[in-house]
């Protein structure tokens, strides 16, 4: 009378050849990512190789591997979601810092602009006209020249002299 002999244990190569497609499909169904699924297949077989001695019933190799694959895929998803949470928290914190810095910068710019506009009034009248049109109305040199019936080079000269004078006044007040 012949009795059935227990199945011979599979080598790691045979396990891979027989089950790698199944493991890939399990991983892909959980992750929906081709590359991540390929990584999970490799990690699953690595874990299986390291824990092969814990597989007592070789007839249950398929269910044992699928269990390892599911757990591995879920672990990978959890790790990725934690990383994304950390990135989101870092992004929110960075955004808050940037908002605060941009608010400070905006306040400084407004302060400086008000300071400049106040000091334009201390310039000689010819420079005041050019500076006011350039700074407050943001006109080009040619537009200012046309508006004031001056040459473009005269506008540039007056603007340069007025800016130089304003810089020395504003810089000494701001640094004091």
């Amino acid at each position: 009378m012949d009795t059935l002999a227990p199945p011979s244990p599979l080598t790691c190569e045979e396990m891979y050849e027989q089950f790698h497609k199944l493991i890939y499909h399990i991983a892909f169904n959980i992750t929906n990512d081709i590359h991540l699924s390929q990584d999970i297949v490799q990690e699953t077989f690595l874990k299986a190789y390291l824990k092969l001695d814990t597989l007592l019933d070789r007839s249950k190799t398929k269910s044992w591997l699928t269990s390892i694959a599911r757990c591995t895929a879920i672990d990978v998803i959890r790790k990725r979601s934690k990383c994304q949470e950390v990135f989101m928290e870092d992004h929110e914190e960075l955004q808050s810092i940037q908002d605060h810095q941009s608010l400070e910068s905006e306040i400084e710019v407004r302060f400086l602009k008000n300071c400049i506009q106040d000091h334009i009034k201390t310039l000689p009248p010819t420079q005041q006209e050019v500076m006011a049109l350039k700074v407050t109305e943001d006109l080009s040199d040619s537009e200012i020249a046309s508006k004031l019936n001056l040459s473009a080079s005269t506008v540039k000269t007056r603007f340069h002299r007025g800016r130089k004078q304003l810089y020395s006044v504003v810089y000494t007040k701001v640094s004091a």
Side-chain angles (χ1 to χ4, degrees):
M1 180 182 243
D2 276 332
T3 59
L4 290 173
S8 62
L10 295 172
T11 65
C12 288
E13 292 82 16
E14 291 171 331
M15 274 196 308
Y16 181 82
E17 283 303 315
Q18 191 172 347
F19 297 112
H20 77 276
K21 289 180 182 176
L22 172 66
I23 301 304
Y24 174 83
H25 287 293
I26 291 169
F28 186 79
N29 285 336
I30 294 172
T31 65
N32 288 326
D33 184 301
I34 295 169
H35 302 292
L36 202 54
S37 298
Q38 291 168 344
D39 291 344
I40 291 168
V41 169
Q42 289 179 356
E43 195 170 331
T44 297
F45 282 100
L46 177 62
K47 287 179 180 180
Y49 174 74
L50 295 173
K51 296 290 184 174
L52 195 56
D53 59 324
T54 63
L55 179 61
L56 302 176
D57 186 355
R58 301 289 176 182
S59 65
K60 296 186 179 180
T61 302
K62 181 179 176 181
S63 61
W64 181 66
L65 283 172
T66 57
S67 176
I68 294 172
R70 278 192 198 97
C71 292
T72 303
I74 291 168
D75 287 346
V76 167
I77 294 295
R78 284 184 184 145
K79 285 177 188 173
R80 288 188 81 177
S81 69
K82 283 182 184 177
C83 286
Q84 287 174 346
E85 287 174 15
V86 169
F87 290 144
M88 288 302 293
E89 288 172 6
D90 288 349
H91 176 73
E92 289 167 0
E93 192 173 305
L94 181 63
Q95 189 64 41
S96 172
I97 291 169
Q98 288 172 341
D99 290 345
H100 181 70
Q101 287 174 340
S102 65
L103 179 62
E104 284 181 359
S105 297
E106 187 177 328
I107 290 169
E108 286 176 16
V109 166
R110 284 184 184 176
F111 172 76
L112 192 58
K113 198 171 187 177
N114 287 338
C115 191
I116 289 170
Q117 287 174 344
D118 289 344
H119 286 89
I120 285 176
K121 297 170 188 162
T122 65
L123 296 174
T126 55
Q127 291 175 3
Q128 278 184 37
E129 291 176 316
V130 172
M131 292 301 287
L133 292 172
K134 188 83 162 178
V135 173
T136 57
E137 295 184 31
D138 200 27
L139 296 179
S140 69
D141 291 345
S142 59
E143 291 172 325
I144 295 170
S146 165
K147 193 168 190 168
L148 298 178
N149 294 326
L150 300 170
S151 69
S153 61
T154 303
V155 170
K156 286 181 184 180
T157 302
R158 289 181 182 177
F159 176 73
H160 177 73
R161 288 180 183 160
R163 186 179 69 193
K164 190 175 180 181
Q165 195 172 345
L166 277 178
Y167 179 79
S168 65
V169 171
V170 171
Y171 182 74
T172 54
K173 285 206 175 219
V174 169
S175 62

